[in-house]
Amino acid sequence: MAETSNSLDEENLEIKTKSIEQTLLPLVKQISTLVSHRERSICSERSLRVVARVGQAVNVAVERFVTVGESIASDIPELRDDMNRACNQARAAGSAIEKLCESAGEDCLRERSAVVRAARNLLTSVTRVLLLADVVVVRQLLLAKDKVARSLGRLEGVSNFTEFVKAFSQFGLEMVELAHLTGDRQNDMKDERRRAQMAAARQVLERSTMLLLTSSKTCLRHPDSSACRENRDTVFCQMRRAMDLIHFVVKDGVFEGEMAEDWDAGKTVYSAIKQYESLVEMTRLTFVSGQNKDSLLSALDTIVERTQDFTDSAYTSHEHRENILLLCDRAKLQLNQLLRTGLCLEQAEGYSPTEELECAVQNCLSATRDLFNQLVSTTREQTSDLLNITKAGSQLVSVITNSALACDEIRTQHSAQCFNQHIEHIVEMCKLLRHIAATETLQVSSKYTEINVRIYGPQVAIAATTLTQHPNSKIAKENLEVFADMWYSIMNDVTTVCKEVLEAVKVPEKQTYMSLPRPGKHGTTTKPLKAVRLDVEEQEKIAKAGLEMKLATSEMEAETERWQEGPNGAIDENNDIVKRARNMSSMAFRMYQFTKGSGPLKTTQDLFTQAEYFAEEANRLYKIVRQFSYQVPAGVHKKELLEQLDRVPTHVQQLQFTVKNPTVGKAATFTKVDTVIHETKNLMSVISKVVTTCFVCATKYEPSTPPPRVAIPYGFIPFEVLATPLLPQRARTLPR
């Protein structure tokens, strides 16, 4: 979460913490109930009174809420103006809802439209108040971090034991406070990568505290020893880097006043392959334009570049290295074939995918899957003897310790050289594990485990050098023991990460469908995923996203109600855009019902299947509207239509990628559900704008001959029709 309000996007107030999500839940339930009620005919005085009371309750609750918000910002001048503005917006929206609920007897359509707009305004303004209040929490955490940083500076500058004991006591108290705050923040964050980054930073600070104590004491006792100074300086450096990472995480990527590159975002072979596969699959929709060609070539180059960590490793066998190089060449050949196929389609002005294009797409995807499986096999080979490798490392540490205690400098140096080679081997393994890690948590864990091995491993030998120079020093012996314990802890991390990464990629998919399986055909040959029902708590977590999707759909209906009064009052049932709009609205409504625990979608697999249909239907609508755009005369409306239409493939790609991403475990499945709902909501918002603009273009189009089949009619389908399931069975919902 950003520290200042300037980073809060008015158009997209993204919630990044669970506490804000839970605080919004009661308001989401009230608005959801109110909007749903307003879309039904109110037939009794009792219903009118109930609605009026709900409106009053919402307004009173908003007033209490914004009063607290204003009091929070009263002591923070830089937040005061933004908080007051957000609170005033919330008050206005709450008051509008109360008035609309009191006037429930007026025209239903006009009132419903107003309620939807007021509800969206209220939800946005209250969310902004909460995000601004969260800035206070961030400030408190950063202040605690700055205190620890200052204490570190004082510890680094002490010159005697008395000052050191006093400074370290203060440092310990401040570290405890920072540990509590960062722990609470880690548990509250929704983003998987941010949680993993915070956990890595906290682990470094926790483990380094004892290293800081012994290395500082050794340096004070033996100020002329360059080895003990290197030990101490390394610990200080790592702790400062950990605090920089904490700052980066709580500011959500803002570092030193600027938006910094995400330190752990997708720089792996796994991420590069997923990005490339998404681009390849999108060629079914967008074919291969000049920009798409450059993106595909660049994505494949990124994959090949990152596989160099496998081929350049001294521990990769010749057979595996040759296989990787051959599979990279195969991927290049298949991409060239896809580009040639796309070029032929473009020259032929074809608008529908052909069997040749589908075959080229499948071959590209097959090549990258085989390449990834080869990289997994290479990693397995390198880590197959990890248990014996870690035992050998522990024995080397024991030899180094015993040699140092015996003042055998030559043996200590020889053992240190062997240990450094051992460290390089462990680093190579961690690097490969990170490249094939299938989740962001495992990618981050692999990266910081590799960093700890590379940084803290050599310090064991350096601490042994100090003990060799001062064999009778108890502090130097204690320092070596602490660094050795640190090494053992890091080796446990390596073993755990290795097991988890390889477990996640243990069972490759036997058969993967790059397009939606057709009912009754080969789509039944694979084992279906386990169907899971969401519990009440999980439904509450996605309630806000579901409501936003419902409001977006309702707003589209409200904006286009006026088209019912057009000159061609009857709706052309054969119009393709009307069909697709009806299907997509029906599916969005069912997915909204899922977030409420009702409707025909009962399990998470039902939701994922519906999301696949939704994305596929968006593809069809995109192609139809693209053809329609060719008939729209050049001008402002056509430009607006094309700008909005160009956003559809990106959102379709994101939704398809999310749906096809495999998950293991209940927590991962819920995260996938949450992401699917959000991506569907974003795609629905874009589609609603495209459809509305299509109607605007249709009114400007006055041909001398009857319009083609893809032209937009003057009328519009009422939302009640769009939200009604077309057929009772899900498999028959979408026309094939």
Side-chain angles (χ1 to χ4, degrees):
M1 201 67 58
E3 183 182 9
T4 62
S5 59
N6 293 334
S7 63
L8 300 182
D9 185 0
E10 291 280 0
E11 298 296 328
N12 184 23
L13 298 176
E14 184 180 0
I15 296 174
K16 300 181 182 295
T17 58
K18 301 173 186 176
S19 57
I20 292 180
E21 195 173 61
Q22 290 300 308
T23 304
L24 277 174
L25 183 60
L27 178 62
V28 168
K29 288 182 176 179
Q30 290 272 28
I31 294 177
S32 181
T33 302
L34 190 60
V35 172
S36 299
H37 195 11
R38 306 307 279 158
E39 293 180 350
R40 300 194 299 267
S41 298
I42 301 175
C43 56
S44 68
E45 289 294 329
R46 181 180 179 183
S47 296
L48 295 176
R49 289 195 299 271
V50 169
V51 171
R53 285 199 296 271
V54 171
Q56 292 172 359
V58 169
N59 193 26
V60 171
V62 169
E63 180 59 37
R64 292 173 179 170
F65 175 81
V66 298
T67 300
V68 175
E70 289 171 337
S71 66
I72 289 175
S74 60
D75 297 329
I76 307 175
E78 57 267 33
L79 292 182
R80 191 176 301 139
D81 292 341
D82 288 316
M83 179 67 84
N84 289 337
R85 189 180 306 113
C87 290
N88 290 335
Q89 292 172 354
R91 279 196 180 96
S95 177
I97 286 181
E98 181 179 10
K99 291 178 181 177
L100 289 168
C101 290
E102 290 175 350
S103 59
E106 298 180 3
D107 180 64
C108 179
L109 288 179
R110 190 185 315 115
E111 180 187 345
R112 184 176 64 200
S113 172
V115 169
V116 168
R117 285 195 296 271
R120 294 196 75 176
N121 291 336
L122 179 59
L123 197 59
T124 299
S125 56
V126 169
T127 301
R128 183 173 176 79
V129 170
L130 286 170
L131 293 177
L132 288 169
D134 187 65
V135 172
V136 179
V137 178
V138 172
R139 287 168 59 90
Q140 183 182 8
L141 195 154
L142 293 179
L143 286 173
K145 187 268 300 183
D146 290 340
K147 288 181 181 178
V148 173
R150 287 192 293 270
S151 292
L152 274 179
R154 287 193 294 270
L155 278 171
E156 197 171 16
V158 296
S159 57
N160 58 68
F161 274 100
T162 302
E163 293 179 6
F164 174 78
V165 170
K166 182 178 179 180
F168 193 84
S169 299
Q170 182 65 29
F171 168 78
L173 294 175
E174 292 166 354
M175 274 293 297
V176 169
E177 180 186 5
L178 181 62
H180 284 305
L181 293 174
T182 52
D184 292 341
R185 192 66 179 180
Q186 177 186 332
N187 294 330
D188 196 26
M189 287 185 294
K190 295 174 60 180
D191 187 87
E192 177 186 1
R193 185 169 72 253
R194 294 289 186 243
R195 286 200 305 271
Q197 289 171 332
M198 182 67 84
R202 295 181 70 239
Q203 184 186 69
V204 169
L205 289 177
E206 179 184 351
R207 289 179 175 177
S208 298
T209 300
M210 183 56 69
L211 297 178
L212 181 66
L213 175 63
T214 57
S215 62
S216 297
K217 288 166 62 178
T218 306
C219 201
L220 288 172
R221 179 68 69 188
H222 308 289
D224 297 332
S225 173
S226 60
C228 64
R229 279 201 305 274
E230 184 173 348
N231 275 158
R232 189 197 67 165
D233 293 344
T234 299
V235 176
F236 274 107
C237 181
Q238 285 303 100
M239 295 187 76
R240 288 192 171 102
R241 287 175 178 171
M243 287 189 291
D244 286 343
L245 181 58
I246 289 174
H247 187 107
F248 178 85
V249 170
V250 299
K251 295 287 292 296
D252 197 29
V254 178
F255 191 72
E256 294 183 352
E258 297 182 358
M259 195 70 186
E261 180 184 2
D262 201 329
W263 296 349
D264 305 294
K267 297 178 182 178
T268 65
V269 172
Y270 178 85
S271 301
I273 288 178
K274 287 298 180 183
Q275 176 65 23
Y276 173 74
E277 289 179 343
S278 297
L279 292 172
V280 169
E281 289 182 343
M282 284 303 294
T283 58
R284 293 191 181 96
L285 176 62
T286 59
F287 303 123
V288 185
S289 63
Q291 182 178 359
N292 292 340
K293 177 182 177 180
D294 292 340
S295 299
L296 286 165
L297 291 171
S298 176
L300 184 57
D301 288 342
T302 300
I303 294 174
V304 174
E305 180 184 350
R306 292 178 183 174
T307 59
Q308 290 177 3
D309 283 338
F310 292 80
T311 56
D312 292 348
S313 174
Y315 304 96
T316 299
S317 67
H318 177 72
E319 179 184 359
H320 282 285
R321 184 178 291 108
E322 288 296 317
N323 288 339
I324 292 171
L325 294 174
L326 287 173
L327 288 169
C328 287
D329 291 338
R330 177 189 163 195
K332 293 177 182 178
L333 290 173
Q334 296 299 341
L335 177 58
N336 289 333
Q337 179 61 37
L338 175 63
L339 296 176
R340 285 195 296 269
T341 304
L343 180 61
C344 292
L345 277 176
E346 186 179 12
Q347 292 174 346
E349 297 184 354
Y351 298 114
S352 299
T354 62
E355 291 185 5
E356 186 180 4
L357 177 65
E358 180 65 21
C359 181
V361 169
Q362 293 289 355
N363 289 337
C364 281
L365 297 173
S366 176
T368 53
R369 283 197 300 272
D370 291 344
L371 174 59
F372 181 72
N373 289 336
Q374 177 60 51
L375 298 178
V376 172
S377 298
T378 303
T379 306
R380 286 188 188 280
E381 182 189 56
Q382 285 205 25
T383 58
S384 60
D385 203 26
L386 179 60
L387 182 60
N388 290 329
I389 292 173
T390 54
K391 286 183 179 179
S394 298
Q395 292 172 359
L396 282 172
V397 171
S398 298
V399 171
I400 290 173
T401 302
N402 294 332
S403 299
L405 290 171
C407 299
D408 190 342
E409 187 174 349
I410 295 177
R411 189 182 180 191
T412 300
Q413 291 179 354
H414 176 72
S415 300
Q417 291 176 355
C418 295
F419 187 60
N420 286 334
Q421 294 176 358
H422 175 78
I423 291 172
E424 291 177 3
H425 191 180
I426 300 293
V427 167
E428 287 292 324
M429 285 193 292
C430 291
K431 190 183 298 182
L432 302 194
L433 287 169
R434 179 170 180 253
H435 273 303
I436 67 168
T439 66
E440 291 186 325
T441 296
L442 290 176
Q443 290 174 10
V444 172
S445 298
S446 301
K447 174 182 177 179
Y448 286 99
T449 300
E450 174 195 341
I451 291 174
N452 290 334
V453 171
R454 188 190 310 116
I455 298 299
Y456 279 126
Q459 299 305 311
V460 176
I462 294 173
T465 300
T466 303
L467 183 58
T468 303
Q469 297 170 350
H470 306 280
N472 297 322
S473 174
K474 293 183 179 179
I475 292 179
K477 181 181 178 181
E478 181 185 3
N479 187 51
L480 175 57
E481 291 174 350
V482 171
F483 274 97
D485 290 340
M486 179 68 161
W487 173 255
Y488 298 141
S489 298
I490 294 174
M491 285 301 96
N492 287 333
D493 294 342
V494 172
T495 303
T496 301
V497 168
C498 179
K499 180 180 178 181
E500 292 178 350
V501 169
L502 294 179
E503 185 71 23
V505 295
K506 184 171 70 171
V507 183
E509 295 182 15
K510 294 182 180 179
Q511 187 171 359
T512 304
Y513 288 99
M514 293 302 105
S515 61
L516 199 61
R518 296 322 193 234
K521 293 189 179 181
H522 47 68
T524 60
T525 58
T526 56
K527 183 178 179 181
L529 296 176
K530 182 179 179 182
V532 181
R533 290 177 180 266
L534 296 185
D535 55 33
V536 176
E537 181 180 355
E538 290 170 332
Q539 290 173 6
E540 290 177 348
K541 290 180 179 179
I542 60 175
K544 179 178 180 290
L547 175 59
E548 288 176 338
M549 183 164 63
K550 174 69 180 299
L551 291 175
T553 308
S554 298
E555 191 171 36
M556 179 181 71
E557 171 231 353
E559 291 175 354
T560 53
E561 285 285 352
R562 52 198 170 95
W563 298 105
Q564 283 184 298
E565 306 300 328
N568 293 348
I571 296 174
D572 179 7
E573 292 295 337
N574 294 321
N575 184 279
D576 285 341
I577 295 183
V578 173
K579 286 182 180 180
R580 304 308 172 195
R582 178 188 291 128
N583 285 340
M584 293 188 69
S585 294
S586 176
M587 288 183 280
F589 184 73
R590 292 177 194 171
M591 296 175 77
Y592 160 71
Q593 288 179 313
F594 176 82
T595 67
K596 304 288 290 181
S598 60
L601 307 182
K602 302 300 183 184
T603 67
T604 54
Q605 187 54 39
D606 291 340
L607 177 73
F608 299 151
T609 302
Q610 186 73 93
E612 281 190 287
Y613 282 126
F614 188 86
E616 191 170 288
E617 199 71 352
N619 280 345
R620 295 192 182 100
L621 182 62
Y622 171 85
K623 295 174 184 177
I624 296 168
V625 176
R626 176 66 69 181
Q627 293 180 55
F628 169 72
S629 67
Y630 299 148
Q631 305 170 42
V632 178
V636 176
H637 295 295
K638 181 170 185 176
K639 180 181 178 182
E640 181 182 359
L641 176 62
L642 292 177
E643 287 178 351
Q644 294 170 350
L645 191 61
D646 287 342
R647 297 170 58 195
V648 172
T650 300
H651 289 285
V652 169
Q653 177 184 356
Q654 291 172 345
L655 179 57
Q656 289 178 329
F657 176 78
T658 301
V659 170
K660 293 176 182 177
N661 189 30
T663 56
V664 179
K666 184 176 181 180
T669 300
F670 172 73
T671 300
K672 180 175 177 179
V673 169
D674 187 29
T675 307
V676 164
I677 294 295
H678 277 85
E679 295 296 346
T680 304
K681 176 199 70 175
N682 294 337
L683 179 55
M684 186 68 201
S685 298
V686 174
I687 290 294
S688 67
K689 293 177 182 178
V690 168
V691 172
T692 301
T693 308
C694 281
F695 277 100
V696 174
C697 293
T699 59
K700 304 292 182 181
Y701 178 57
E702 297 179 0
S704 56
T705 58
R709 186 170 180 265
V710 295
I712 307 298
Y714 288 100
F716 185 74
I717 308 170
F719 179 76
E720 288 78 4
V721 176
L722 295 179
T724 303
L726 301 181
L727 291 174
Q729 298 175 355
R730 185 185 65 203
R732 299 174 56 198
T733 298
L734 296 175
R736 292 292 173 191

